Amino acid sequence: MNISRRDFFKASAKYGATAVIMSAGVTSAYASTAREEKERMGHAKYTMTLATAYIVGSSRSYPIMQLDLKENIQNLTNGEVYVKLAPGGQLGAGGALAAKVQAGTIQAAQHSISNFAPFAPPVDLINVPYWCGKNQEFVNLVSSNEWKKTVEAKVEKKGFKPLMYVCIDPRVVALRKGQENPILLPEDLKGIKFRVPGSKILQNFYRLLGANPTPIAWGETPSAIKQGVADALDPSVEALNVFGFKEVLSHVTFNEAVPDAQVYSCNIKWLQSLPPRIQDAILEAAEVTFAQNLAKVPAARAFAMAELAKEDVKFHYLSASQKQEWIDKSGHQLKAWDATKKELIGSKANFDKLLNAANTKSKYFVSDAKKPS
């Protein structure tokens, strides 16, 4: 029986590694993987607990890359660092994981970039529409010196070292079944009860478009969509699939307004306590994983769309003129965003520096969703 490393970690996440190793039905492949993990742990000088909200195997549809990051860190540190993976929300999710990293309870974690907002408010600017919504714009931004100087410097003062950003795809407009007309123009959103997270920026975005923004906790969103408490929601198409929304949706529109992105953060004091060569190897591993993530985006998107299409979800791409209407109605250039820019970054001029960074080609390339020819 051919059991993969991924299967071993899935079982370990559910039952605990010890239980898997000791179970009566353990296969030789499981035992081999378990032995390797035990040996790696025993030979390592340092242990790095890495917590995520996603189960092992999610990267097929949502390229969170947790196994890749674990392997790359272990390999590039020549086994001196053992990464103890805690997937699937074992240690929490979102802001709870960010808080544990800051406190040093764990060494590293995955969470949304927006979870950095309480520590470095400028990061919340990514939720302002139509300036870094496309994948390439987002990657240009977070890999730029301006982002590192303006945002990451503040994050580091709060006890974090961003290891790598995870590009998923832009947020979409996804309608529940029962809403049978797709959203193609801002006027189509009039009266739509749009589920939003706690972000005031996203709430203002959908209000500008004429929707009725309805804040709903993520854990309550599936039932809210099913029951019609909300008519629409906006995660990436990959997130819609991995979180099980495919059976309750009718239409998905790619409007490319805001990125739906993640970050791996590390406790900076722990990282700086390591020998410089180990620090450099961990950062190199993060950069390698970032490149792998970017390469995986189109395949993850294609898989997610295929899974949603099986449930008869229809996909829609905006024409240039249609997209311009969205930009004109809600984009970053509107005076409605001036107060937000001033609050988060100090001035419009400072925002414009980040805007320029988002539009300056970086050394990285990533695919953006395009209408099939």
Side-chain angles (χ1 to χ4, degrees):
M1 188 175 182
N2 185 16
I3 303 295
S4 68
R5 176 179 297 276
R6 177 176 285 112
D7 293 326
F8 172 79
F9 281 110
K10 280 184 179 180
S12 296
K14 186 173 182 180
Y15 303 112
T18 302
V20 173
I21 295 167
M22 299 301 293
S23 68
V26 70
T27 66
S28 59
Y30 266 143
S32 176
T33 302
R35 282 195 301 272
E36 182 185 330
E37 287 296 304
K38 187 175 180 180
E39 288 172 2
R40 281 192 161 190
M41 188 185 302
H43 291 157
K45 294 180 180 179
Y46 313 97
T47 297
M48 179 183 189
T49 297
L50 174 63
T52 79
Y54 293 85
I55 62 171
V56 171
S58 295
S59 288
R60 184 182 187 189
S61 177
Y62 192 91
I64 202 65
M65 315 303 289
Q66 54 188 325
L67 278 181
D68 299 88
L69 184 57
K70 167 182 164 66
E71 287 289 322
N72 290 337
I73 290 174
Q74 292 175 167
N75 294 342
L76 286 166
T77 61
N78 196 28
E80 291 190 62
V81 175
Y82 174 77
V83 178
K84 183 179 179 182
L85 189 62
Q90 291 177 15
L91 300 180
L97 288 182
K100 287 182 178 181
V101 171
Q102 186 188 42
T105 307
I106 57 178
Q107 287 72 49
Q110 158 272 320
H111 49 83
S112 74
I113 295 180
S114 295
N115 287 135
F116 269 152
F119 311 105
V123 77
D124 213 20
L125 284 168
I126 66 163
N127 288 321
V128 174
Y130 291 109
W131 75 282
C132 66
K134 296 180 72 172
N135 286 341
Q136 191 63 59
E137 293 169 343
F138 168 74
V139 168
N140 293 344
L141 176 66
V142 297
S143 62
S144 70
N145 289 330
E146 191 64 37
W147 177 265
K148 296 181 192 306
K149 179 178 69 175
T150 304
V151 176
E152 288 191 0
K154 291 181 173 62
V155 169
E156 289 180 9
K157 287 180 180 178
K158 296 295 184 178
F160 299 91
K161 174 63 179 177
L163 292 180
M164 62 168 281
Y165 298 92
V166 184
C167 181
I168 303 298
D169 248 347
R171 294 178 180 272
V172 300
V173 174
L175 285 177
R176 66 174 176 86
K177 290 190 185 301
Q179 296 286 330
E180 299 306 327
N181 296 316
I183 303 296
L184 299 177
L185 296 169
E187 63 195 49
D188 298 331
L189 281 167
K190 186 176 182 180
I192 291 290
K193 294 174 289 186
F194 210 112
R195 180 270 169 188
V196 291
S199 170
K200 292 182 179 179
I201 294 178
L202 287 177
Q203 292 175 32
N204 191 33
F205 168 39
Y206 292 112
R207 195 173 291 113
L208 286 170
L209 292 170
N212 178 19
T214 306
I216 299 173
W218 181 243
E220 300 171 7
T221 299
S223 61
I225 295 293
K226 289 177 183 177
Q227 296 168 13
V229 174
D231 301 313
L233 70 164
D234 71 349
S236 64
V237 68
E238 292 90 337
L240 291 173
N241 179 56
V242 81
F243 285 108
F245 285 94
K246 59 187 179 182
E247 295 178 355
V248 299
L249 301 177
S250 57
H251 296 277
V252 167
T253 300
F254 295 93
N255 59 326
E256 295 184 314
V258 177
D260 184 10
Q262 303 284 322
V263 64
Y264 281 95
S265 68
C266 183
N267 181 277
I268 197 166
K269 288 184 179 179
W270 176 82
L271 184 66
Q272 292 176 344
S273 73
L274 302 173
R277 60 183 174 77
I278 299 295
Q279 294 182 47
D280 291 344
I282 290 175
L283 296 178
E284 181 184 2
E287 184 166 358
V288 168
T289 313
F290 179 52
Q292 291 174 314
N293 157 245
L294 300 183
K296 195 171 180 62
V297 167
R301 179 194 307 128
F303 178 75
M305 291 177 66
E307 290 298 295
L308 267 64
K310 290 177 183 177
E311 300 297 331
D312 203 32
V313 178
K314 301 294 190 297
F315 299 99
H316 307 274
Y317 299 81
L318 300 180
S319 66
S321 61
Q322 288 172 330
K323 185 174 181 179
Q324 191 60 50
E325 290 197 39
W326 289 73
I327 295 172
D328 292 344
K329 190 82 172 180
S330 64
H332 70 89
Q333 77 285 349
L334 298 178
K335 289 187 178 298
W337 295 115
D338 285 354
T340 298
K341 294 174 186 176
K342 185 175 181 180
E343 176 187 354
L344 296 181
I345 203 67
S347 68
K348 183 178 181 297
N350 289 339
F351 173 81
D352 288 343
K353 292 178 183 177
L354 289 172
L355 176 63
N356 181 63
N359 286 282
T360 300
K361 186 72 171 67
S362 74
K363 66 179 181 179
Y364 301 103
F365 168 79
V366 62
S367 159
D368 280 296
K370 296 180 180 178
K371 184 176 182 178
S373 58

